[in-house]
Amino acid sequence: MPADPLHRAGTPQRSTTSLPPSGSGASAIEVRRSARRRRTVSAYREGDRTVVLIPARMSEAEEQRWVSVMLDKLAAQESRRVLDDGELAERARRLSDQYFGGRARPDTVRWVTNQNTRWGSCTPAEGSIRLSHRLQGMPEYVVDYVLLHELAHLLVPGHGPRFWRLLEAYPRTERARGYLEGVVAADRLPHVPGAR
């Protein structure tokens, strides 16, 4: 039987799997080391896991640094891609399944350009969710939080304790809220002409 080129004698490869840093968007990180890889580091998503490929000679500290760098790069690439309304509806369905047992089922989920003071809105009687176009390009976990927030309104109309308990299931709730608060605060800063 021919030898697997990635597992030839003299080219040991180590693979480790760990939990990701909070907010990375993946459930697990797999680091694959290769003696054939000299300088380059790459990463890709494989289902709900992130695979990071690094040279075998890297230290543990370098590995940790590069995993963090590559997670940030992947998140930036993903956040630049804008979901269309169909993809947004599918994402809402998956989030409802994952965090609410599939109980929140909107009839429509779409982007809108007429919401400049809110990130999203929900009309439970119609089963409709609308997200502000201003969210486009923000990190995935922020869009997911706003979708979950509006999905939760299909189950609990107000912002009482039952509503917030539903959102506790999402591990990046506080981080996403902080991100959005930072965007609002930055918009309120005075803009000095000519300042960069």
Side-chain angles (χ1 to χ4, degrees):
M1 177 171 17
D4 180 348
L6 291 176
H7 295 93
R8 290 183 191 147
T11 57
Q13 182 179 19
R14 184 176 63 114
S15 178
T16 59
T17 302
S18 62
L19 295 175
S22 65
S24 68
S27 64
I29 300 165
E30 181 178 335
V31 177
R32 296 181 187 165
R33 290 175 171 264
S34 171
R36 294 179 63 204
R37 189 174 282 271
R38 295 286 178 224
R39 290 187 305 246
T40 61
V41 176
S42 62
Y44 59 92
R45 303 278 194 215
E46 190 174 80
D48 201 24
R49 175 177 54 158
T50 302
V51 177
V52 181
L53 307 169
I54 65 172
R57 62 175 175 70
M58 274 192 182
S59 69
E60 292 295 320
E62 288 174 309
E63 174 183 317
Q64 288 176 3
R65 184 178 71 79
W66 275 106
V67 165
S68 178
V69 165
M70 297 312 289
L71 287 174
D72 288 346
K73 281 187 175 188
L74 283 173
Q77 289 170 358
E78 291 164 353
S79 71
R80 284 191 294 268
R81 186 181 166 281
V82 175
L83 302 173
D84 65 30
D85 288 350
E87 292 169 315
L88 198 60
E90 174 59 25
R91 186 178 207 119
R93 185 196 62 76
R94 283 195 321 261
L95 289 167
S96 175
D97 289 346
Q98 184 175 358
Y99 294 101
F100 302 146
R103 294 179 296 138
R105 291 284 179 211
D107 291 325
T108 61
V109 181
R110 61 191 175 94
W111 295 108
V112 294
T113 58
N114 63 349
Q115 288 189 39
N116 294 314
T117 59
R118 295 194 254 187
W119 297 115
S121 62
C122 174
T123 307
E126 297 174 5
S128 64
I129 290 176
R130 294 158 307 282
L131 296 190
S132 172
H133 72 286
R134 296 178 306 137
L135 289 165
Q136 294 174 343
M138 288 190 187
E140 201 171 87
Y141 72 92
V142 174
V143 176
D144 285 353
Y145 165 73
V146 176
L147 268 175
L148 280 165
H149 184 106
E150 301 310 331
L151 285 166
H153 280 307
L154 292 175
L155 304 173
V156 179
H159 287 106
R162 282 184 53 226
F163 174 84
W164 292 111
R165 274 195 299 278
L166 282 173
L167 287 178
E168 286 174 1
Y170 184 58
R172 293 181 279 285
T173 291
E174 288 306 313
R175 184 173 183 196
R177 289 183 63 168
Y179 185 98
L180 292 171
E181 288 170 6
V183 170
V184 170
D187 285 345
R188 291 182 182 149
L189 291 174
H191 296 284
V192 180
R196 292 182 190 215

